[in-house]
Amino acid sequence: PLLTELCSTHMMSQSTTQAYKQDPVFIEQLEDTFLHLLTNKAPRLALPPMPKAQRALVHEYAEQGWGFVSHSSGNEPNRAVQL
């Protein structure tokens, strides 16, 4: 089954749902990363650099859908999300 089905308790906002429709692989990779963070009880995790729009989506979904605290660090084009 898709990760989004396994993680149905995590709420997707309208923008996250739209992003899933446009790029399901990206959202599924995010969910895999979030699950890894939870199951390994890692204190924090750095995601790879990504464009501003993707970072905004990651912040929204991580914070509102999964309850993580997130922030961005670094300078463009190497700015990345930290969870």
Side-chain angles (χ1 to χ4, degrees):
L2 294 174
L3 286 172
T4 50
E5 293 171 9
L6 295 173
C7 306
S8 60
T9 58
H10 300 285
M11 298 297 295
M12 278 192 193
S13 68
Q14 186 175 7
S15 59
T16 305
T17 301
Q18 183 62 32
Y20 179 77
K21 290 177 183 177
Q22 293 175 347
D23 189 357
V25 173
F26 177 69
I27 300 300
E28 290 169 8
Q29 288 172 338
L30 273 182
E31 290 176 341
D32 189 38
T33 299
F34 296 162
L35 285 171
H36 175 77
L37 188 62
L38 288 174
T39 58
N40 290 308
K41 297 183 171 77
R44 64 182 147 257
L45 180 70
L47 299 178
M50 61 186 72
K52 184 177 182 176
Q54 281 186 320
R55 289 194 312 272
L57 179 66
V58 171
H59 288 300
E60 178 183 302
Y61 194 30
E63 293 173 2
Q64 294 176 12
W66 289 73
F68 291 119
V69 174
S70 68
H71 69 276
S72 290
S73 63
N75 298 313
E76 298 292 355
N78 297 313
R79 198 154 170 81
V81 176
Q82 310 284 321
L83 302 169

